[in-house]
Amino acid sequence: MRLPLPWQARLLARKVGGMVEGMVEDALPRPKPAGFEFRGEALSTTLHGQTLLVTLHHEPCNEIGQTALSELEIVARLLSHPGDQVRAAIFHSSVERGFCAGADLRELHAGMSAKAGEGGGKLAIAAAAREFIDRIHAAFDAIDMAPITTIGVLHGFCFGGGFELALCCDVLIAEKSTRFAFPELRLGLVPGFGGIPRLKRDIGNAVIRDILFTGRSINAKKAQEVGLVSQVVPRGRGLEVAEKLAEQAARFDGPTTAAAKRFTKPLPKEELARERDLFIELLGSDVVEAALRKFVESDDVRPYLP
Amino acid sequence: MTAAQNLVPRLLELAARRFDQDTSGLAPEDDLFEKLGIDSYQAMELLTDLEEEFEVEIPDYEIQGVNTFGGLAEVISRRL
């Protein structure tokens, strides 16, 4: 299928740095939040009553690269120690196209190309990727285990790393426009931000294999049917519904909520570690380099499919 | 008339409504991406609308390479 003016292609000219390269240098400035109010390049946080609103606002669709990771680490730190002020958190996107389209593959490709150009070879790429993956797992795990109720409000694209970020939340509210997909196999990879172990907490392996092995997307209704999403709401109504849910959750005793969460949503540590290893192992293959290059150069309307 | 041909009017009406176009300007043999001028996000929206309207699941890979309204109707008819 053809796309007259692919939004993906417009990214090509503006990429700077590289996901992998950036991790080795680890020299990016870390914006410091003032209390719970923070405004970054990829996201912002604001305190509404006792609810921390985390707004992803990076065009075209909140791709997760170095910048987004640094800012998600700030959110992770806030949520790890919410104190008495914050009793719930809502993750949502103000970008029209969706919640999050996943990892910034162009940044990843640029970083890997830069490493290859430096003559570091696959070992250098793997070392840098390991550092990035470890950081993102630490941030996602902290969000996952935050001792408060977390709500994901989803619409449009909820793909790959974006899907994995959503899966860190306790409750998912999907607007009807939401589509979920794990397109990683198309790239010669498995989801690397903890997606499958987290998804296995909630839904059956048969459905996981279907979406993983085909790369197909499922809509919000299907996601609710399989137990991934708890509420499906009309377009544009997700945030309003989430705020009411957050207010309700905040009425309960905080330590009790935290204990209930530890009980019902344990972190699948062993599987997460195995996933990290598998992702790094696969990242070194020639298949990935070729697939990333094809993705970057693609003008297909559905570039995530082979 | 085939089952797919029967679906075309509903499909055209849905596409026209979603993308604010006149149904009379759409034909089964039209390239839907060119005719509707849609991008990847809008293609996703259309897919979601089709699944809701016809109460079917349409795996993305089944419509890969399908460019016309008529072709789309064929895929949907096989799922009904």
Side-chain angles (χ1 to χ4, degrees):
Chain A
M1 286 187 173
R2 297 184 300 278
L3 179 63
L5 184 60
W7 59 270
Q8 292 92 346
R10 293 199 294 269
L11 280 169
L12 283 170
R14 70 166 181 79
K15 291 301 168 196
V16 292
M19 181 188 290
V20 174
E21 187 181 20
M23 278 313 305
V24 167
E25 293 168 356
D26 197 20
L28 285 177
R30 302 277 183 88
K32 301 294 181 193
F36 291 104
E37 304 289 326
F38 167 71
R39 175 84 190 174
E41 286 180 45
L43 60 86
S44 62
T45 63
T46 51
L47 195 56
H48 291 208
Q50 292 181 294
T51 302
L52 186 74
L53 189 64
V54 181
T55 304
L56 310 178
H57 57 64
H58 186 60
E59 296 278 357
C61 198
N62 297 314
E63 287 77 3
I64 300 173
Q66 191 64 41
T67 302
L69 171 57
S70 295
E71 295 177 10
L72 282 168
E73 286 174 327
I74 291 169
V75 173
R77 283 196 288 274
L78 289 175
L79 293 182
S80 295
H81 306 286
D84 296 331
Q85 274 181 281
V86 181
R87 299 294 313 283
I90 297 172
F91 285 76
H92 80 120
S93 161
S94 62
V95 172
E96 183 190 7
R97 290 181 185 282
F99 178 72
C100 175
D104 190 333
L105 299 178
R106 287 170 180 83
E107 190 176 295
L108 175 63
H109 182 253
M112 288 175 67
S113 298
K115 277 283 157 213
E118 291 166 9
K122 289 183 177 176
L123 280 177
I125 291 173
R130 165 68 72 175
E131 198 175 348
F132 181 88
I133 287 295
D134 284 350
R135 269 179 68 195
I136 203 142
H137 269 254
F140 277 28
D141 287 356
I143 293 168
D144 191 317
M145 300 302 289
I148 57 173
T149 302
T150 55
I151 305 156
V153 178
L154 315 173
H155 72 278
F157 287 105
C158 188
F159 279 19
F163 191 177
E164 294 176 288
L165 175 60
L167 288 167
C168 295
C169 296
D170 302 337
V171 181
L172 293 181
I173 294 169
E175 295 184 2
K176 279 187 176 179
S177 63
T178 314
R179 295 201 74 92
F180 302 85
F182 275 135
E184 282 83 355
L185 258 69
R186 184 236 164 113
L187 301 169
L189 290 168
V190 293
F193 298 174
I196 299 301
R198 288 186 225 281
L199 192 56
K200 282 170 75 174
R201 291 187 302 202
D202 297 331
I203 72 174
N205 243 329
V207 176
I208 294 174
R209 286 193 297 271
D210 180 7
I211 61 175
L212 183 64
F213 295 167
T214 66
R216 77 177 178 109
S217 61
I218 61 170
N219 66 23
K221 183 179 168 221
K222 171 83 174 181
Q224 188 178 34
E225 284 170 3
V226 300
L228 166 62
V229 159
S230 62
Q231 299 188 39
V232 177
V233 298
R235 289 172 171 81
R237 302 296 293 273
L239 193 53
E240 174 190 331
V241 170
E243 284 170 346
K244 286 188 169 61
L245 196 158
E247 286 171 17
Q248 170 64 13
R251 292 189 179 105
F252 297 129
D253 176 63
T256 305
T257 295
K261 180 163 170 175
R262 286 194 299 274
F263 177 65
T264 58
K265 191 169 166 251
L267 199 64
K269 290 179 183 172
E270 190 181 320
E271 284 207 344
L272 287 167
R274 280 165 46 206
E275 182 213 73
R276 283 202 300 265
D277 291 343
L278 178 58
F279 181 85
I280 299 300
E281 179 189 326
L282 293 172
L283 192 66
S285 79
D286 294 336
V287 174
V288 175
E289 203 287 327
L292 281 174
R293 188 172 61 249
K294 184 180 171 193
F295 180 90
V296 166
E297 294 167 355
S298 173
D299 64 353
D300 195 293
V301 74
R302 279 189 291 274
Y304 53 90
L305 285 173
Chain B
M1 216 179 219
T2 65
Q5 286 169 331
N6 280 326
L7 295 180
V8 169
R10 264 172 83 192
L11 199 160
L12 295 182
E13 190 181 329
L14 182 148
R17 189 169 64 241
R18 157 61 66 185
F19 299 107
D20 201 21
Q21 298 212 5
D22 190 341
T23 312
S24 62
L26 304 177
E29 64 276 13
D30 283 343
D31 183 312
L32 61 101
F33 292 98
E34 280 185 7
K35 199 75 179 182
L36 300 173
I38 58 178
D39 62 14
S40 57
Y41 169 66
Q42 292 165 316
M44 278 291 175
E45 283 201 313
L46 180 60
L47 180 58
T48 302
D49 284 357
L50 291 171
E51 288 181 328
E52 188 175 356
E53 171 75 16
F54 294 101
E55 297 181 335
V56 292
E57 269 190 71
I58 308 172
D60 310 55
Y61 52 82
E62 286 196 11
I63 53 171
Q64 195 170 22
V66 173
N67 291 321
T68 65
F69 292 108
L72 205 48
E74 285 283 351
V75 173
I76 294 168
S77 71
R78 290 197 293 267
R79 286 262 165 185
L80 290 173

